[in-house]
Amino acid sequence: MKAVLINGSPRKKNWNTVTLLEKAADGLKECGFETEIINLYDQLFHGCISCFLCKRKKFIDKHICQYKDNLTPILEKSMEANVIVVGSPVYLGEPTGETRCYLERLQFPVTSYMVDENGNKVSILTEPKPTAMIYTMNCPVDYMDQIGYPILLGNSANAFEALFGYSEILYACDTYQFRDYSQYEASMFDPVHKVEMKEKQFPIDCQKAFELGKRLGKVALDLKNK
Ligand SMILES: Cc1cc2nc3c(=O)[nH]c(=O)nc-3n(C[C@H](O)[C@H](O)[C@H](O)COP(=O)(O)O)c2cc1C
């Protein structure tokens, strides 16, 4: 059983998003999964170019974006995996640009435009695949509702749920952004509070990511043994 974990942060080592993905991978490994963390920012690629090849009758069963570029092998690995976990920092209230491009090209080919004779939507994917979104952000947890993040950020997980049959979402708030806050014009952040969050809250978020990985692994194993 395989799991791919997609890092949508440009920061590839030791920072918030990739660390949580590593913890989720550890949880999946405990369930016997082979895991791979893929850094989106290692590749140059486009979002959906609206070619609609994926909606052509001859490609509809392929379940994969037919536009070929550096993202193609990553999309192939994602669709072959038993579990997909996508991690992204929040940039301007949304997933990062690269994460968004990946999600467009992963999710649109399995978004159905088909209805049956009764007008009911016909799903493209018939087998569920456990998925999750992990978001990291500066925003403090008690400010999230006020700026609408659960709705804005929940969209990608809702799409995963609707298309792949199972999805979870994990938010890690108030993350540590700079190595040395004293070097930056950023007086809205209290460095003492940020250190406290890094030392107390982030380990809790890491544990949540580990448990998330274990849960997804268990769901995937249960589906396989059904
Ligand atoms: C370009 C940019 C835009 C950002 N916009 C937001 C934002 O809208 N809301 C927020 O809470 N944090 C925002 N942040 C902070 C990051 O989401 C946060 O530091 C995140 O944990 C970084 O993840 P990383 O350490 O994995 O790179 C932004 C950071 C950058 C670089």
Side-chain angles (χ1 to χ4, degrees), residues 7-20 87-94 96 135-140 143-144 147 149 153 172-178 181 189 194 202:
N7 180 21
S9 170
R11 302 199 285 189
K12 299 170 204 167
K13 274 194 186 143
N14 303 326
W15 282 98
N16 300 287
T17 312
V18 75
T19 302
L20 294 177
S88 178
V90 175
Y91 279 8
L92 309 181
E94 303 203 21
T96 61
Y135 281 110
T136 72
M137 67 197 89
N138 248 330
C139 178
Y143 193 55
M144 278 191 70
I147 51 175
Y149 277 5
L153 304 174
C173 294
D174 221 343
T175 52
Y176 203 75
Q177 189 169 20
F178 308 122
Y181 276 73
F189 303 117
K194 282 291 190 184
F202 196 64

